[in-house]
Amino acid sequence: MKAKFEKPVEIEEEDTFKTILSKYGALALDKQENLSELIGETVGELDIEEGKISFGDIEIPVQILSFYNPDLRQWSWAWDNEDIFGKDLIQTAFKVKEFGDNFNIPELNTPVLNADINDCHTLAMVAIGLCNMDAYYAVSEEGLDIYVVFNSDLIKENNSLIKFRDTFYTFQKNFRIYPQIAFESYTKLKGYGFKPHDDFAVAKIGESRIIVGFTERGNVTRILMYDEED
């Protein structure tokens, strides 16, 4: 149970896109791993007219987030393409734009962005974090990558201690973020207890603990796991 004095995870004035990614990205990566456990190597097939994506026998209603042109290296938000997708399929994209407008985040309210494939993933990760979606997926069609987001009861959470540790390690290693913000936010968004110290912080998961050490500049020095079952 969270202590009442703990500061919740939310966007604040002056937050940059990097800060927002730091806050919501680890949980988004966690969710993507849950999706992978459901679909494995199955390639998704998108039916825009029906507003759904299929993974074999699994069908899930979707929202269109964006499309990406890899030749032009351009990400185009779906909220700027209502004439293509229709209003109903881009409600989540509009929510993302609203965050961008309210907090002056150009990455979220600029219609077209110059981006590489890594940028696409960070934009999609932020989107599912802000809009509380379960996952995103990119479908390649006619030279474009169409990014969709969705919720589904079929996607089950894996809340193992090892997964939490490994997800945070992967996130702070592979993305340009603020690791201290990321660890605190990931811990709190998962509903775990969080306790900061001068040069380390602790995630309390039942009787188990994940301890992350930090340098003065906020970089990770070590990640330790103490499992109650050990």
Side-chain angles (χ1 to χ4, degrees):
M1 184 174 180
K2 293 181 181 179
K4 292 183 178 179
F5 61 85
E6 285 190 354
K7 185 178 179 181
V9 180
E10 56 191 9
I11 301 180
E12 301 176 7
E13 298 294 338
E14 310 301 328
D15 274 0
T16 63
F17 181 81
K18 181 178 178 180
T19 305
I20 296 171
L21 176 63
S22 300
K23 289 180 175 180
Y24 295 97
L27 182 62
L29 183 60
D30 183 298
K31 291 179 175 182
Q32 290 303 112
E33 292 168 355
N34 293 336
L35 174 65
S36 294
E37 291 188 15
L38 173 66
I39 65 174
E41 299 297 322
T42 305
V43 176
E45 296 184 8
L46 179 62
D47 186 333
I48 293 180
E49 291 187 3
E50 294 294 327
K52 66 183 181 182
I53 190 168
S54 300
F55 300 97
D57 295 333
I58 299 171
E59 291 186 352
I60 303 174
V62 299
Q63 285 276 295
I64 307 297
L65 186 67
S66 70
F67 61 87
Y68 178 66
N69 186 321
D71 293 331
L72 299 178
R73 293 166 62 93
Q74 288 184 339
W75 167 283
S76 300
W77 285 106
W79 52 257
D80 191 51
N81 293 276
E82 185 175 339
D83 57 329
I84 298 175
F85 300 115
K87 192 172 184 179
D88 291 342
L89 277 180
I90 58 176
Q91 292 303 304
T92 299
F94 274 119
K95 289 181 183 179
V96 174
K97 182 179 185 297
E98 186 176 347
F99 279 108
D101 291 340
N102 291 341
F103 294 95
N104 193 29
I105 307 297
E107 290 88 348
L108 305 183
N109 66 2
T110 302
V112 179
L113 301 168
N114 294 324
D116 60 24
I117 191 64
N118 292 325
D119 296 326
C120 293
H121 287 295
T122 59
L123 289 162
M125 290 164 72
V126 164
I128 66 170
L130 292 177
C131 298
N132 198 29
M133 305 299 284
D134 287 340
Y136 72 88
Y137 190 86
V139 180
S140 296
E141 289 196 359
E142 299 180 1
L144 296 176
D145 296 332
I146 301 176
Y147 281 76
V148 300
V149 294
F150 45 87
N151 288 324
S152 174
D153 292 338
L154 297 173
I155 303 173
K156 305 302 181 183
E157 289 189 45
N158 175 351
N159 292 317
S160 74
L161 193 68
I162 292 175
K163 182 191 177 189
F164 181 88
R165 178 199 64 186
D166 292 350
T167 298
F168 174 71
Y169 172 79
T170 300
F171 182 58
Q172 61 84 31
K173 184 175 186 293
N174 294 320
F175 295 88
R176 295 183 64 252
I177 49 95
Y178 301 111
Q180 284 179 298
I181 293 175
F183 184 62
E184 177 178 355
S185 299
Y186 183 32
T187 300
K188 290 180 176 179
L189 289 171
K190 290 290 286 184
Y192 303 146
F194 176 79
K195 189 171 183 180
H197 297 270
D198 290 340
D199 59 353
F200 69 96
V202 181
K204 297 180 285 186
I205 307 171
E207 296 302 317
S208 302
R209 301 290 186 269
I210 298 289
I211 301 173
V212 179
F214 299 99
T215 66
E216 290 185 1
R217 297 176 63 87
N219 296 318
V220 173
T221 59
R222 64 194 183 280
I223 302 176
L224 305 175
M225 182 177 72
Y226 295 95
D227 194 336
E228 60 181 338
E229 296 181 356
D230 289 345

